């Protein structure tokens, strides 16, 4: 069902309230002890494209905004190269709280936060999901019935997969995580050409 802008805003607010109060999360104590904020997501609630990363890093947990550190700068630059404004898209993560030392998210963390991401997808109803990194790729492809297509990200990036959701057709494009491009200009070049594919969609 398509919601009004007001309803979408309210549904997102409910998600925020629930994540803020998520005391049974293994990351809750770390959040409170470090005066961190949960990072819900940012952008248009009716975006055609949704970017999904892994989990907030240090800058994100301090500000409550996704992709606002170095990886975020790369994401912004990539969006600019293909003429897409950040406010036109929706950007979020699977895991909404920062894992200690920015380690990879654990299966139990993905399990507890994943349903919030599922609800965000249902609210925004994007036509395209661009996953950033292998965790988001694995989660989204499994959720959307594409699990039999999963290969290592080196073989998946820039490929476009078509599938169905409860609200209609969707395309999924796995991308490398922008963090990898911070120190690797080859990955940055790959990301640039994959963003050109995204723009063509
Ligand atoms: N890495 C992510 O996966 N998400 C962020 O929000 C920031 C860095």
């Amino acid at each position: 069902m398509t919601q009004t802008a007001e309803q979408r805003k309210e549904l997102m607010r409910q998600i925020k309230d629930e994540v803020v109060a998520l005391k049974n999360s293994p990351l809750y104590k770390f959040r409170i002890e470090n005066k961190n904020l949960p990072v819900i997501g940012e952008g248009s609630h009716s975006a055609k494209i949704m970017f999904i990363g892994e989990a907030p890093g240090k800058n994100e947990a301090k500000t409550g905004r996704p992709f606002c550190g170095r990886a975020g700068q790369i994401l912004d630059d990539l969006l600019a190269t293909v003429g897409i404004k950040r406010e036109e898209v929706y950007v979020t993560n699977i895991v909404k709280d920062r894992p200690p030392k920015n380690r990879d998210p654990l299966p139990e963390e993905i399990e507890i936060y994943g349903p919030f991401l599922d609800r965000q997808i249902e609210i925004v109803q994007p036509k395209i999901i661009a996953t950033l990194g292998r965790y988001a790729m694995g989660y989204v492809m499994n959720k959307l019935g594409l699990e039999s297509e999963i290969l290592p990200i080196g073989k998946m990036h820039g490929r476009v997969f078509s599938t169905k959701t409860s609200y209609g057709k969707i395309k999924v494009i796995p991308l490398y995580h922008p963090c990898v491009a911070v120190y690797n200009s080859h990955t940055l070049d790959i990301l640039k050409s994959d963003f050109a594919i995204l723009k063509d969609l």
Side-chain angles (χ1 to χ4, degrees):
M1 194 179 67
T2 308
Q3 317 278 350
T4 64
E6 211 39 57
Q7 285 168 327
R8 288 194 293 265
K9 196 170 161 192
E10 174 57 21
L11 290 167
M12 285 292 188
R13 200 190 54 75
Q14 283 171 16
I15 291 176
K16 181 172 184 187
D17 289 350
E18 287 174 45
V19 174
V20 166
L22 199 64
K23 289 193 177 155
N24 60 342
S25 162
L27 296 173
Y28 181 81
K29 192 162 162 267
F30 183 72
R31 181 213 296 169
I32 300 299
E33 284 173 357
N34 290 278
K35 298 192 171 58
N36 281 342
L37 295 169
V39 179
I40 309 302
E42 189 177 76
S44 165
H45 292 169
S46 52
K48 287 204 170 58
I49 310 177
M50 187 171 201
F51 287 90
I52 302 176
E54 234 165 77
K58 191 172 181 184
N59 292 303
E60 288 77 19
K62 285 294 162 217
T63 58
R65 296 185 51 223
F67 284 93
C68 66
R70 264 196 295 186
Q73 185 58 55
I74 291 180
L75 179 62
D76 290 349
D77 292 348
L78 288 163
L79 285 170
T81 59
V82 292
I84 302 173
K85 294 200 183 81
R86 175 133 168 187
E87 57 271 26
E88 289 171 38
V89 304
Y90 191 79
V91 183
T92 187
N93 290 298
I94 318 174
V95 169
K96 312 298 189 196
D97 277 302
R98 181 187 175 210
K101 299 188 182 145
N102 294 351
R103 62 156 169 71
D104 289 342
L106 300 174
E108 57 268 35
E109 293 160 1
I110 292 177
E111 197 179 318
I112 201 162
Y113 292 96
F116 295 107
L117 173 63
D118 303 343
R119 283 162 58 186
Q120 289 175 302
I121 294 171
E122 289 290 323
I123 296 167
V124 176
Q125 305 197 346
K127 298 265 185 290
I128 301 168
I129 292 182
T131 58
L132 301 170
R134 62 198 166 98
Y135 285 93
M137 175 185 87
Y139 184 85
V140 169
M141 297 216 33
N142 266 307
K143 271 282 151 189
L144 296 182
L146 294 167
E147 59 275 21
S148 62
E149 307 273 5
I150 299 176
L151 292 170
I153 192 155
K155 291 194 167 31
M156 299 284 283
H157 72 86
R159 288 175 57 190
V160 180
F161 297 87
S162 297
T163 187
K164 276 197 199 131
T165 63
S166 63
Y167 61 84
K169 290 183 189 159
I170 190 168
K171 291 190 193 308
V172 177
I173 175 164
L175 301 172
Y176 276 119
H177 196 291
C179 258
V180 186
V182 172
Y183 300 109
N184 186 331
S185 61
H186 177 60
T187 309
L188 186 58
D189 289 340
I190 294 174
L191 268 167
K192 280 183 191 157
S193 48
D194 289 350
F195 264 70
I197 297 169
L198 181 65
K199 174 71 177 174
D200 287 346
L201 288 180

